[in-house]
Amino acid sequence: MNEQDEKFLREAIAMARNGMERGDGGPFGCVIVKDGQVVGSGNNRVTSTNDPTAHAEVVAIRDACSRLGSFQLAGCTLYTSCEPCPMCLGAIYWARPDRIVYAATRMDAADAGFDDQLIYDELPLPPDQRKFRMEQLLGDEATQVFRAWKAMAGKVRY
């Protein structure tokens, strides 16, 4: 870790504290940096926006992608106050930054009441064994759309 990493990680931690103290949501913050400049930032806004997906990393990814005019974050480093939850980790993988730097661990978050272990436990289970009932319907109709996508000219791959 270098001085720049410490600087931006401290910014993410400050965003976590400020958002929490404003009542935006839980104690999580994130900044995304490209070429030494912050291109996106966010803090948790789940409770203030009634949006369960408004985690700091997702908010910051949306901000950075909007500012950069891209759905990917090549050349960027994502600094987050806490190890990303499974949802945020999925969003981060889709956004494809070069690096992720985090401060607190998921165990620290669990100790504060933000326990994601259920999700980690559910992921390897077959859909019919998960806590929330999952049913597959209309698979043939849905795969027709995938076949059309595969054949479509000029699509933007991601």
Side-chain angles (χ1 to χ4, degrees):
M1 183 155 319
N2 59 43
E3 285 182 32
Q4 180 170 297
D5 287 341
E6 290 181 11
K7 171 188 169 187
F8 291 121
L9 199 50
R10 283 191 176 101
E11 280 190 42
I13 293 167
M15 290 193 73
R17 179 177 299 279
N18 293 338
M20 174 191 72
E21 290 174 351
R22 273 193 313 269
D24 291 349
F28 302 94
C30 180
V31 296
I32 299 173
V33 175
K34 184 171 187 172
D35 300 325
Q37 300 295 317
V38 174
V39 295
S41 62
N43 59 276
N44 184 289
R45 296 180 182 153
V46 169
T47 57
S48 62
T49 62
N50 295 316
D51 179 354
T53 69
H55 288 202
E57 296 89 342
V58 173
V59 172
I61 289 168
R62 290 173 179 161
D63 185 34
C65 288
S66 176
R67 289 185 194 202
L68 295 172
S70 175
F71 55 84
Q72 296 195 330
L73 298 174
C76 294
T77 299
L78 185 144
Y79 295 92
T80 182
S81 64
C82 186
E83 181 179 357
C85 76
M87 177 187 70
C88 292
L89 192 57
I92 292 165
Y93 270 77
W94 281 114
R96 295 179 178 93
D98 289 0
R99 294 175 62 217
I100 304 163
V101 181
Y102 65 93
T105 68
R106 71 186 206 199
M107 285 71 72
D108 297 323
D111 185 57
F114 300 94
D115 192 353
D116 301 322
Q117 193 58 48
L118 170 67
I119 300 169
Y120 288 105
D121 292 344
E122 292 272 307
L123 285 173
L125 295 176
D128 65 347
Q129 292 180 19
R130 293 181 181 155
K131 176 180 168 123
F132 297 107
R133 184 174 166 178
M134 297 182 73
E135 301 175 32
Q136 183 190 19
L137 298 171
L138 304 176
D140 291 337
E141 290 181 33
T143 56
Q144 289 175 20
V145 179
F146 284 124
R147 282 194 293 278
W149 168 260
K150 287 167 50 175
M152 189 170 90
K155 63 184 167 242
V156 176
R157 293 186 182 274
Y158 60 100

